[in-house]
mmCIF file of all heavy atoms in Angstrom:
data_model
loop_
_atom_site.group_PDB
_atom_site.id
_atom_site.type_symbol
_atom_site.label_atom_id
_atom_site.label_comp_id
_atom_site.label_asym_id
_atom_site.label_seq_id
_atom_site.Cartn_x
_atom_site.Cartn_y
_atom_site.Cartn_z
ATOM 1 N N ALA A 293 0.829 -1.215 0.000
ATOM 2 C CA ALA A 293 0.000 0.000 0.000
ATOM 3 C C ALA A 293 0.858 1.258 0.000
ATOM 4 O O ALA A 293 0.513 2.257 -0.632
ATOM 5 C CB ALA A 293 -0.944 0.000 1.197
ATOM 6 N N VAL A 294 1.997 1.229 0.695
ATOM 7 C CA VAL A 294 2.857 2.409 0.726
ATOM 8 C C VAL A 294 3.502 2.622 -0.649
ATOM 9 O O VAL A 294 3.719 3.764 -1.065
ATOM 10 C CB VAL A 294 3.883 2.368 1.871
ATOM 11 C CG1 VAL A 294 5.103 1.534 1.539
ATOM 12 C CG2 VAL A 294 4.328 3.762 2.246
ATOM 13 N N LYS A 295 3.779 1.544 -1.392
ATOM 14 C CA LYS A 295 4.294 1.689 -2.763
ATOM 15 C C LYS A 295 3.273 2.418 -3.635
ATOM 16 O O LYS A 295 3.629 3.297 -4.422
ATOM 17 C CB LYS A 295 4.640 0.330 -3.354
ATOM 18 C CG LYS A 295 5.908 -0.265 -2.789
ATOM 19 C CD LYS A 295 6.184 -1.644 -3.361
ATOM 20 C CE LYS A 295 7.389 -2.260 -2.656
ATOM 21 N NZ LYS A 295 7.607 -3.644 -3.050
ATOM 22 N N LYS A 296 2.008 2.058 -3.491
ATOM 23 C CA LYS A 296 0.947 2.745 -4.238
ATOM 24 C C LYS A 296 0.845 4.206 -3.819
ATOM 25 O O LYS A 296 0.641 5.091 -4.647
ATOM 26 C CB LYS A 296 -0.397 2.046 -4.030
ATOM 27 C CG LYS A 296 -0.476 0.691 -4.684
ATOM 28 C CD LYS A 296 -1.799 0.007 -4.373
ATOM 29 C CE LYS A 296 -1.800 -1.407 -4.902
ATOM 30 N NZ LYS A 296 -3.030 -2.127 -4.519
ATOM 31 N N ALA A 297 1.020 4.460 -2.524
ATOM 32 C CA ALA A 297 0.975 5.849 -2.030
ATOM 33 C C ALA A 297 2.123 6.662 -2.620
ATOM 34 O O ALA A 297 1.947 7.835 -2.972
ATOM 35 C CB ALA A 297 1.026 5.872 -0.508
ATOM 36 N N LEU A 298 3.291 6.056 -2.753
ATOM 37 C CA LEU A 298 4.431 6.762 -3.347
ATOM 38 C C LEU A 298 4.212 7.041 -4.829
ATOM 39 O O LEU A 298 4.603 8.106 -5.330
ATOM 40 C CB LEU A 298 5.721 5.965 -3.136
ATOM 41 C CG LEU A 298 6.283 5.989 -1.720
ATOM 42 C CD1 LEU A 298 7.432 5.000 -1.578
ATOM 43 C CD2 LEU A 298 6.713 7.386 -1.320
ATOM 44 N N ILE A 299 3.563 6.129 -5.532
ATOM 45 C CA ILE A 299 3.215 6.383 -6.938
ATOM 46 C C ILE A 299 2.263 7.568 -7.021
ATOM 47 O O ILE A 299 2.423 8.471 -7.842
ATOM 48 C CB ILE A 299 2.597 5.119 -7.582
ATOM 49 C CG1 ILE A 299 3.678 4.041 -7.728
ATOM 50 C CG2 ILE A 299 1.948 5.445 -8.923
ATOM 51 C CD1 ILE A 299 3.134 2.662 -8.082
ATOM 52 N N ARG A 300 1.266 7.582 -6.144
ATOM 53 C CA ARG A 300 0.308 8.697 -6.097
ATOM 54 C C ARG A 300 1.022 9.998 -5.742
ATOM 55 O O ARG A 300 0.755 11.052 -6.337
ATOM 56 C CB ARG A 300 -0.787 8.369 -5.079
ATOM 57 C CG ARG A 300 -1.941 9.326 -5.057
ATOM 58 C CD ARG A 300 -3.062 8.853 -4.138
ATOM 59 N NE ARG A 300 -2.637 8.660 -2.767
ATOM 60 C CZ ARG A 300 -2.590 7.479 -2.131
ATOM 61 N NH1 ARG A 300 -2.950 6.377 -2.752
ATOM 62 N NH2 ARG A 300 -2.200 7.404 -0.875
ATOM 63 N N LEU A 301 1.965 9.929 -4.819
ATOM 64 C CA LEU A 301 2.722 11.112 -4.415
ATOM 65 C C LEU A 301 3.550 11.655 -5.578
ATOM 66 O O LEU A 301 3.564 12.862 -5.834
ATOM 67 C CB LEU A 301 3.618 10.766 -3.229
ATOM 68 C CG LEU A 301 4.545 11.856 -2.694
ATOM 69 C CD1 LEU A 301 3.772 13.101 -2.307
ATOM 70 C CD2 LEU A 301 5.333 11.318 -1.512
ATOM 71 N N ARG A 302 4.233 10.787 -6.305
ATOM 72 C CA ARG A 302 5.035 11.243 -7.454
ATOM 73 C C ARG A 302 4.149 11.873 -8.521
ATOM 74 O O ARG A 302 4.514 12.879 -9.127
ATOM 75 C CB ARG A 302 5.837 10.076 -8.018
ATOM 76 C CG ARG A 302 6.993 9.684 -7.130
ATOM 77 C CD ARG A 302 7.851 8.585 -7.792
ATOM 78 N NE ARG A 302 8.825 8.088 -6.862
ATOM 79 C CZ ARG A 302 8.695 6.943 -6.167
ATOM 80 N NH1 ARG A 302 7.644 6.179 -6.330
ATOM 81 N NH2 ARG A 302 9.642 6.584 -5.322
ATOM 82 N N ARG A 303 2.976 11.268 -8.770
ATOM 83 C CA ARG A 303 2.033 11.824 -9.751
ATOM 84 C C ARG A 303 1.551 13.204 -9.306
ATOM 85 O O ARG A 303 1.518 14.155 -10.094
ATOM 86 C CB ARG A 303 0.847 10.879 -9.962
ATOM 87 C CG ARG A 303 -0.117 11.366 -11.050
ATOM 88 C CD ARG A 303 -1.348 10.492 -11.184
ATOM 89 N NE ARG A 303 -2.161 10.579 -9.982
ATOM 90 C CZ ARG A 303 -2.482 9.547 -9.205
ATOM 91 N NH1 ARG A 303 -2.071 8.335 -9.488
ATOM 92 N NH2 ARG A 303 -3.218 9.721 -8.133
ATOM 93 N N THR A 304 1.218 13.331 -8.034
ATOM 94 C CA THR A 304 0.761 14.622 -7.501
ATOM 95 C C THR A 304 1.858 15.665 -7.621
ATOM 96 O O THR A 304 1.591 16.815 -7.979
ATOM 97 C CB THR A 304 0.319 14.459 -6.026
ATOM 98 O OG1 THR A 304 -0.684 13.454 -5.955
ATOM 99 C CG2 THR A 304 -0.227 15.754 -5.466
ATOM 100 N N LEU A 305 3.101 15.265 -7.361
ATOM 101 C CA LEU A 305 4.233 16.185 -7.488
ATOM 102 C C LEU A 305 4.431 16.624 -8.939
ATOM 103 O O LEU A 305 4.652 17.806 -9.210
ATOM 104 C CB LEU A 305 5.506 15.534 -6.946
ATOM 105 C CG LEU A 305 6.781 16.365 -7.024
ATOM 106 C CD1 LEU A 305 6.637 17.671 -6.236
ATOM 107 C CD2 LEU A 305 7.972 15.566 -6.514
ATOM 108 N N ARG A 306 4.342 15.683 -9.882
ATOM 109 C CA ARG A 306 4.460 16.041 -11.309
ATOM 110 C C ARG A 306 3.381 17.043 -11.717
ATOM 111 O O ARG A 306 3.652 18.030 -12.396
ATOM 112 C CB ARG A 306 4.362 14.793 -12.191
ATOM 113 C CG ARG A 306 5.636 14.039 -12.358
ATOM 114 C CD ARG A 306 5.558 13.010 -13.483
ATOM 115 N NE ARG A 306 4.394 12.131 -13.402
ATOM 116 C CZ ARG A 306 4.340 11.011 -12.693
ATOM 117 N NH1 ARG A 306 5.381 10.612 -12.000
ATOM 118 N NH2 ARG A 306 3.249 10.279 -12.695
ATOM 119 N N GLU A 307 2.142 16.783 -11.306
ATOM 120 C CA GLU A 307 1.034 17.687 -11.635
ATOM 121 C C GLU A 307 1.257 19.056 -11.007
ATOM 122 O O GLU A 307 0.998 20.091 -11.631
ATOM 123 C CB GLU A 307 -0.293 17.087 -11.158
ATOM 124 C CG GLU A 307 -0.715 15.854 -11.923
ATOM 125 C CD GLU A 307 -1.860 15.096 -11.272
ATOM 126 O OE1 GLU A 307 -2.322 15.493 -10.170
ATOM 127 O OE2 GLU A 307 -2.299 14.090 -11.861
ATOM 128 N N HIS A 308 1.744 19.066 -9.796
ATOM 129 C CA HIS A 308 2.013 20.331 -9.105
ATOM 130 C C HIS A 308 3.097 21.121 -9.837
ATOM 131 O O HIS A 308 2.956 22.324 -10.056
ATOM 132 C CB HIS A 308 2.431 20.055 -7.655
ATOM 133 C CG HIS A 308 2.685 21.283 -6.860
ATOM 134 N ND1 HIS A 308 1.677 21.995 -6.251
ATOM 135 C CD2 HIS A 308 3.831 21.948 -6.592
ATOM 136 C CE1 HIS A 308 2.194 23.040 -5.631
ATOM 137 N NE2 HIS A 308 3.505 23.035 -5.820
ATOM 138 N N ASN A 309 4.178 20.445 -10.218
ATOM 139 C CA ASN A 309 5.263 21.124 -10.927
ATOM 140 C C ASN A 309 4.822 21.620 -12.302
ATOM 141 O O ASN A 309 5.284 22.661 -12.764
ATOM 142 C CB ASN A 309 6.492 20.220 -11.043
ATOM 143 C CG ASN A 309 7.337 20.259 -9.790
ATOM 144 O OD1 ASN A 309 7.349 21.235 -9.060
ATOM 145 N ND2 ASN A 309 8.044 19.164 -9.535
ATOM 146 N N ALA A 310 3.917 20.897 -12.947
ATOM 147 C CA ALA A 310 3.403 21.341 -14.250
ATOM 148 C C ALA A 310 2.623 22.652 -14.102
ATOM 149 O O ALA A 310 2.622 23.490 -15.004
ATOM 150 C CB ALA A 310 2.519 20.261 -14.868
ATOM 151 N N ALA A 311 2.003 22.829 -12.952
ATOM 152 C CA ALA A 311 1.229 24.055 -12.700
ATOM 153 C C ALA A 311 2.094 25.189 -12.142
ATOM 154 O O ALA A 311 1.660 26.330 -12.097
ATOM 155 C CB ALA A 311 0.092 23.758 -11.727
ATOM 156 N N HIS A 312 3.317 24.866 -11.698
ATOM 157 C CA HIS A 312 4.212 25.866 -11.106
ATOM 158 C C HIS A 312 5.576 25.801 -11.800
ATOM 159 O O HIS A 312 6.572 25.399 -11.207
ATOM 160 C CB HIS A 312 4.389 25.609 -9.603
ATOM 161 C CG HIS A 312 3.135 25.770 -8.825
ATOM 162 N ND1 HIS A 312 2.220 24.759 -8.655
ATOM 163 C CD2 HIS A 312 2.623 26.840 -8.168
ATOM 164 C CE1 HIS A 312 1.211 25.192 -7.939
ATOM 165 N NE2 HIS A 312 1.427 26.453 -7.623
ATOM 166 N N THR A 313 5.609 26.202 -13.039
ATOM 167 C CA THR A 313 6.831 26.069 -13.839
ATOM 168 C C THR A 313 7.921 27.058 -13.443
ATOM 169 O O THR A 313 9.084 26.848 -13.775
ATOM 170 C CB THR A 313 6.503 26.245 -15.335
ATOM 171 O OG1 THR A 313 5.863 27.513 -15.523
ATOM 172 C CG2 THR A 313 5.590 25.131 -15.823
ATOM 173 N N GLU A 314 7.562 28.110 -12.718
ATOM 174 C CA GLU A 314 8.547 29.136 -12.367
ATOM 175 C C GLU A 314 9.579 28.651 -11.354
ATOM 176 O O GLU A 314 10.707 29.119 -11.323
ATOM 177 C CB GLU A 314 7.847 30.401 -11.849
ATOM 178 C CG GLU A 314 7.232 30.295 -10.448
ATOM 179 C CD GLU A 314 5.966 29.460 -10.313
ATOM 180 O OE1 GLU A 314 5.398 29.042 -11.356
ATOM 181 O OE2 GLU A 314 5.549 29.211 -9.173
ATOM 182 N N LEU A 315 9.224 27.716 -10.512
ATOM 183 C CA LEU A 315 10.134 27.206 -9.489
ATOM 184 C C LEU A 315 9.759 25.755 -9.206
ATOM 185 O O LEU A 315 8.786 25.485 -8.508
ATOM 186 C CB LEU A 315 10.031 28.052 -8.212
ATOM 187 C CG LEU A 315 10.965 27.714 -7.060
ATOM 188 C CD1 LEU A 315 12.432 27.874 -7.456
ATOM 189 C CD2 LEU A 315 10.666 28.619 -5.856
ATOM 190 N N HIS A 316 10.524 24.831 -9.804
ATOM 191 C CA HIS A 316 10.203 23.411 -9.633
ATOM 192 C C HIS A 316 10.532 22.937 -8.232
ATOM 193 O O HIS A 316 11.527 23.327 -7.638
ATOM 194 C CB HIS A 316 10.963 22.562 -10.657
ATOM 195 C CG HIS A 316 10.224 22.431 -11.942
ATOM 196 N ND1 HIS A 316 9.375 21.383 -12.211
ATOM 197 C CD2 HIS A 316 10.190 23.227 -13.038
ATOM 198 C CE1 HIS A 316 8.853 21.537 -13.401
ATOM 199 N NE2 HIS A 316 9.333 22.657 -13.927
ATOM 200 N N LEU A 317 9.679 22.076 -7.755
ATOM 201 C CA LEU A 317 9.843 21.448 -6.455
ATOM 202 C C LEU A 317 10.475 20.081 -6.686
ATOM 203 O O LEU A 317 9.881 19.221 -7.328
ATOM 204 C CB LEU A 317 8.479 21.313 -5.772
ATOM 205 C CG LEU A 317 8.398 20.629 -4.421
ATOM 206 C CD1 LEU A 317 9.284 21.326 -3.397
ATOM 207 C CD2 LEU A 317 6.956 20.617 -3.936
ATOM 208 N N GLN A 318 11.693 19.896 -6.197
ATOM 209 C CA GLN A 318 12.396 18.620 -6.323
ATOM 210 C C GLN A 318 12.484 17.998 -4.935
ATOM 211 O O GLN A 318 12.936 18.650 -3.986
ATOM 212 C CB GLN A 318 13.790 18.833 -6.893
ATOM 213 C CG GLN A 318 13.783 19.431 -8.294
ATOM 214 C CD GLN A 318 15.193 19.713 -8.776
ATOM 215 O OE1 GLN A 318 16.102 18.917 -8.554
ATOM 216 N NE2 GLN A 318 15.371 20.845 -9.427
ATOM 217 N N VAL A 319 12.053 16.735 -4.856
ATOM 218 C CA VAL A 319 11.929 16.081 -3.558
ATOM 219 C C VAL A 319 12.498 14.665 -3.633
ATOM 220 O O VAL A 319 12.282 13.958 -4.616
ATOM 221 C CB VAL A 319 10.445 16.019 -3.117
ATOM 222 C CG1 VAL A 319 10.302 15.422 -1.732
ATOM 223 C CG2 VAL A 319 9.797 17.393 -3.185
ATOM 224 N N SER A 320 13.205 14.265 -2.593
ATOM 225 C CA SER A 320 13.645 12.883 -2.440
ATOM 226 C C SER A 320 12.708 12.199 -1.448
ATOM 227 O O SER A 320 12.315 12.800 -0.444
ATOM 228 C CB SER A 320 15.081 12.835 -1.901
ATOM 229 O OG SER A 320 15.967 13.419 -2.812
ATOM 230 N N PHE A 321 12.349 10.948 -1.748
ATOM 231 C CA PHE A 321 11.435 10.193 -0.898
ATOM 232 C C PHE A 321 12.089 8.904 -0.433
ATOM 233 O O PHE A 321 12.927 8.329 -1.122
ATOM 234 C CB PHE A 321 10.161 9.804 -1.663
ATOM 235 C CG PHE A 321 9.386 10.962 -2.202
ATOM 236 C CD1 PHE A 321 9.360 11.218 -3.561
ATOM 237 C CD2 PHE A 321 8.676 11.792 -1.354
ATOM 238 C CE1 PHE A 321 8.645 12.282 -4.072
ATOM 239 C CE2 PHE A 321 7.964 12.863 -1.855
ATOM 240 C CZ PHE A 321 7.949 13.103 -3.219
ATOM 241 N N GLY A 322 11.678 8.458 0.723
ATOM 242 C CA GLY A 322 12.061 7.144 1.228
ATOM 243 C C GLY A 322 10.905 6.606 2.043
ATOM 244 O O GLY A 322 10.062 7.370 2.525
ATOM 245 N N ALA A 323 10.839 5.293 2.186
ATOM 246 C CA ALA A 323 9.748 4.695 2.950
ATOM 247 C C ALA A 323 10.236 3.419 3.623
ATOM 248 O O ALA A 323 11.173 2.770 3.143
ATOM 249 C CB ALA A 323 8.562 4.385 2.044
ATOM 250 N N SER A 324 9.593 3.100 4.723
ATOM 251 C CA SER A 324 9.885 1.859 5.441
ATOM 252 C C SER A 324 8.604 1.423 6.149
ATOM 253 O O SER A 324 7.756 2.258 6.468
ATOM 254 C CB SER A 324 11.012 2.083 6.441
ATOM 255 O OG SER A 324 11.349 0.866 7.070
ATOM 256 N N THR A 325 8.495 0.119 6.382
ATOM 257 C CA THR A 325 7.290 -0.430 6.995
ATOM 258 C C THR A 325 7.647 -1.363 8.140
ATOM 259 O O THR A 325 8.564 -2.173 8.027
ATOM 260 C CB THR A 325 6.466 -1.213 5.948
ATOM 261 O OG1 THR A 325 6.103 -0.328 4.892
ATOM 262 C CG2 THR A 325 5.204 -1.811 6.553
ATOM 263 N N ALA A 326 6.913 -1.249 9.219
ATOM 264 C CA ALA A 326 6.970 -2.214 10.320
ATOM 265 C C ALA A 326 5.738 -3.099 10.179
ATOM 266 O O ALA A 326 4.615 -2.637 10.385
ATOM 267 C CB ALA A 326 6.967 -1.499 11.665
ATOM 268 N N GLN A 327 5.941 -4.343 9.781
ATOM 269 C CA GLN A 327 4.808 -5.262 9.577
ATOM 270 C C GLN A 327 4.152 -5.632 10.905
ATOM 271 O O GLN A 327 2.943 -5.802 10.972
ATOM 272 C CB GLN A 327 5.274 -6.535 8.856
ATOM 273 C CG GLN A 327 5.747 -6.298 7.442
ATOM 274 C CD GLN A 327 4.649 -5.778 6.526
ATOM 275 O OE1 GLN A 327 3.449 -5.935 6.764
ATOM 276 N NE2 GLN A 327 5.058 -5.113 5.458
ATOM 277 N N LYS A 328 4.970 -5.758 11.941
ATOM 278 C CA LYS A 328 4.474 -6.029 13.287
ATOM 279 C C LYS A 328 5.247 -5.121 14.221
ATOM 280 O O LYS A 328 6.089 -4.341 13.770
ATOM 281 C CB LYS A 328 4.645 -7.498 13.660
ATOM 282 C CG LYS A 328 6.060 -7.988 13.511
ATOM 283 C CD LYS A 328 6.152 -9.457 13.762
ATOM 284 C CE LYS A 328 7.608 -9.840 13.555
ATOM 285 N NZ LYS A 328 8.025 -11.054 13.938
ATOM 286 N N TYR A 329 4.999 -5.225 15.495
ATOM 287 C CA TYR A 329 5.623 -4.296 16.432
ATOM 288 C C TYR A 329 7.119 -4.157 16.166
ATOM 289 O O TYR A 329 7.853 -5.138 16.030
ATOM 290 C CB TYR A 329 5.417 -4.718 17.895
ATOM 291 C CG TYR A 329 6.252 -3.850 18.794
ATOM 292 C CD1 TYR A 329 5.808 -2.580 19.126
ATOM 293 C CD2 TYR A 329 7.507 -4.251 19.223
ATOM 294 C CE1 TYR A 329 6.599 -1.741 19.904
ATOM 295 C CE2 TYR A 329 8.301 -3.423 19.996
ATOM 296 C CZ TYR A 329 7.841 -2.163 20.330
ATOM 297 O OH TYR A 329 8.622 -1.334 21.078
ATOM 298 N N ALA A 330 7.547 -2.904 16.107
ATOM 299 C CA ALA A 330 8.965 -2.560 15.991
ATOM 300 C C ALA A 330 9.108 -1.137 16.506
ATOM 301 O O ALA A 330 8.153 -0.355 16.430
ATOM 302 C CB ALA A 330 9.425 -2.648 14.540
ATOM 303 N N PRO A 331 10.269 -0.781 17.025
ATOM 304 C CA PRO A 331 10.463 0.625 17.417
ATOM 305 C C PRO A 331 10.331 1.518 16.184
ATOM 306 O O PRO A 331 11.086 1.369 15.217
ATOM 307 C CB PRO A 331 11.887 0.646 17.978
ATOM 308 C CG PRO A 331 12.204 -0.778 18.322
ATOM 309 C CD PRO A 331 11.435 -1.608 17.344
ATOM 310 N N LEU A 332 9.366 2.409 16.197
ATOM 311 C CA LEU A 332 9.113 3.237 15.019
ATOM 312 C C LEU A 332 10.217 4.244 14.779
ATOM 313 O O LEU A 332 10.367 4.731 13.658
ATOM 314 C CB LEU A 332 7.740 3.902 15.128
ATOM 315 C CG LEU A 332 6.568 2.923 15.017
ATOM 316 C CD1 LEU A 332 5.231 3.671 15.103
ATOM 317 C CD2 LEU A 332 6.621 2.082 13.759
ATOM 318 N N ALA A 333 11.027 4.555 15.793
ATOM 319 C CA ALA A 333 12.190 5.420 15.559
ATOM 320 C C ALA A 333 13.155 4.747 14.592
ATOM 321 O O ALA A 333 13.753 5.404 13.740
ATOM 322 C CB ALA A 333 12.882 5.739 16.876
#
């Protein structure tokens, strides 16, 4: 599900940059998942 969210995020960023050509927003993303209890830090 987080992979799908990242695809949606990249699409939203592309659409946003297409509407704001004067100053592009460049972003690096990373993600991690705890399937069961783990220290979230």
Side-chain angles (χ1 to χ4, degrees):
V294 81
K295 286 178 186 173
K296 291 177 186 175
L298 286 171
I299 291 168
R300 188 173 58 246
L301 177 56
R302 287 185 188 100
R303 184 185 66 239
T304 304
L305 179 60
R306 276 193 309 274
E307 292 168 357
H308 182 83
N309 277 333
H312 296 86
T313 56
E314 73 287 351
L315 183 61
H316 273 267
L317 177 58
Q318 298 176 41
V319 184
S320 297
F321 301 108
S324 184
T325 300
Q327 294 297 338
K328 55 185 179 169
Y329 171 80
L332 291 181

